[in-house]
Amino acid sequence: MKIFITRVLPPAGLAMLERAGVQVTQWTERRGLSHDELVAHCQQYDALLLASDNTIDRAFLEQCRHLKVISLLSVGYDKVDIAAANELGIPVTNTPGVLSAATADTAFLLMLASSRKAFFQHKRIIRGEWGFSEPTANLGIALEGKTLGIWGLGSIGYVMAQRCVQAFGMKVIYHNRGRNEAAEKELGAQRVSFEELLAQSDVLSVHTALTPETAGRFNMTAFSQMKPSAIFVNAARGAIHHEGDLIAAIQQGIIWGAGLDVTNPEPMQPDNPLLEMPTVAVLPHIGSATAETRNAMSEMAAQNIIASMKGEPLPNQVTSL
């Protein structure tokens, strides 16, 4: 099997592919592939390992319907037209589970950084403003005993909730379509309506998938129902929040601040007002960016490719073929 990889793959997964006899070609240029370039490359290969943010739409799939598998180096698959992949018989796989802890740790970091104005305080040092100290200046807010709201209490949200309970004794509420009985039993989590989640959360952390139902859900209507002291955290997908509304909500004091590992659009422009707000912490979508996690993801993506090559069931298939 010959596969095309849209980035340089972490070494653990690459070694697995090479040991299995897979012929690997990696895109090594320091720029993204255009849609047409990706089509042209993939027409020469049996499989695609997608490690970039390219959109896999119907047009791509129709031109590359020969692909035996598309293996995503991610848990999210919102950039793939799954319905078209099902229709055309192209299996798509992802890498669930292995990035839960790393992504939750990033959300935890952003929550804490926003609560203590950490990124803003660091910039003050760089600007030479670490001088006269005032007891009432640049105060943050404490997290001990506060209420953590989780929208999308799956594996990542569970770890985030676990961290917050252990570190700060936070009360956990959540909004899901169904119950998370493990979180209710082990963390004392309480399932609430979306409106209750907005009204009661001191920190509201988003860990749901991007779907037509979740896109833009956090807009001015939602922010207006939150506490003025609330922190909004999004380590899921940027399109879940309306960035203009988020900017206005913080500027107008409707909510306290935000911690973002994802933005809308990505990458964020350097003149975005959020980057200069004292109570905002922004990271460039690094949720899974630890050596251990990325190697584990690459191994899982490689396993999906190797299973396809051997004609075995795909371990992490998101299509319903």
Side-chain angles (χ1 to χ4, degrees):
M1 177 178 278
K2 295 168 56 181
I3 73 163
F4 181 69
I5 307 176
T6 59
R7 290 288 191 273
V8 175
L9 195 66
L14 189 61
M16 283 184 64
L17 292 169
E18 291 173 344
R19 286 195 301 268
V22 177
Q23 295 181 46
V24 173
T25 298
Q26 301 183 94
W27 179 255
T28 58
E29 292 189 33
R30 298 279 299 173
R31 66 174 183 85
L33 286 150
S34 70
H35 184 277
D36 290 343
E37 286 176 321
L38 185 60
V39 169
H41 280 282
C42 287
Q43 286 175 341
Q44 305 172 50
Y45 292 88
D46 303 307
L48 168 65
L49 200 161
L50 188 73
S52 59
D53 59 359
N54 290 88
T55 298
I56 303 301
D57 57 14
R58 176 176 288 275
F60 171 89
L61 294 167
E62 288 179 343
Q63 293 176 84
C64 298
R65 61 177 67 202
H66 66 284
L67 290 173
K68 294 180 172 62
V69 63
I70 296 173
S71 179
L72 308 178
L73 191 75
S74 66
V75 63
Y77 47 89
D78 48 277
K79 291 185 178 297
V80 181
D81 188 334
I82 296 297
N86 279 324
E87 182 183 323
L88 296 169
I90 303 172
V92 178
T93 64
N94 68 342
T95 58
V98 294
L99 49 69
S100 297
T103 304
D105 286 347
T106 300
F108 187 91
L109 166 66
L110 289 165
M111 171 189 71
L112 195 53
S114 174
S115 74
R116 297 300 297 272
K117 304 182 180 179
F119 288 17
F120 170 74
Q121 301 284 32
H122 178 70
K123 290 175 184 176
R124 289 183 61 238
I125 298 172
I126 295 171
R127 293 193 295 259
E129 297 173 2
W130 186 3
F132 183 72
S133 177
E134 297 179 82
T136 58
N138 295 313
L139 301 182
I141 54 176
L143 297 172
E144 186 71 31
K146 297 293 179 65
T147 296
L148 170 71
I150 299 281
W151 196 41
L153 187 54
S155 58
I156 298 172
Y158 182 90
V159 178
M160 173 63 169
Q162 187 180 53
R163 299 281 195 267
C164 291
V165 169
Q166 292 171 342
F168 297 116
M170 296 178 81
K171 174 187 175 182
V172 179
I173 60 175
Y174 73 99
H175 180 69
N176 276 15
R177 287 182 178 177
R179 307 199 79 90
N180 188 322
E181 295 182 2
E184 292 180 7
K185 179 180 179 181
E186 297 166 21
L187 303 175
Q190 178 185 356
R191 186 181 178 215
V192 298
S193 69
F194 185 68
E195 291 71 25
E196 290 173 315
L197 186 80
L198 296 173
Q200 296 177 26
S201 297
D202 295 300
V203 177
L204 203 162
S205 196
V206 174
H207 300 285
T208 190
L210 176 62
T211 67
E213 291 75 29
T214 64
R217 189 69 181 274
F218 282 88
N219 52 22
M220 186 56 78
T221 300
F223 295 132
S224 296
Q225 297 176 62
M226 294 170 64
K227 297 179 180 181
S229 58
I231 296 171
F232 173 74
V233 177
N234 189 356
R237 287 291 185 268
I240 292 172
H241 68 261
H242 186 287
E243 202 141 291
D245 287 358
L246 178 60
I247 291 169
I250 298 171
Q251 287 175 332
Q252 296 170 26
I254 294 170
I255 64 172
W256 160 272
L260 306 175
D261 187 44
V262 291
T263 60
N264 186 20
E266 288 185 12
M268 176 181 274
Q269 294 301 309
D271 61 350
N272 191 303
L274 289 168
L275 295 173
E276 297 301 324
M277 293 182 181
T279 58
V280 175
V282 183
L283 292 172
H285 205 155
I286 62 163
S288 64
T290 68
E292 296 84 355
T293 300
R294 290 285 171 84
N295 271 308
M297 291 170 67
S298 72
E299 288 179 325
M300 188 173 287
Q303 288 168 354
N304 290 324
I305 295 282
I306 293 166
S308 175
M309 181 181 72
K310 293 181 177 180
E312 298 173 352
L314 303 182
N316 301 289
Q317 187 166 338
V318 296
T319 42
S320 55
L321 304 174

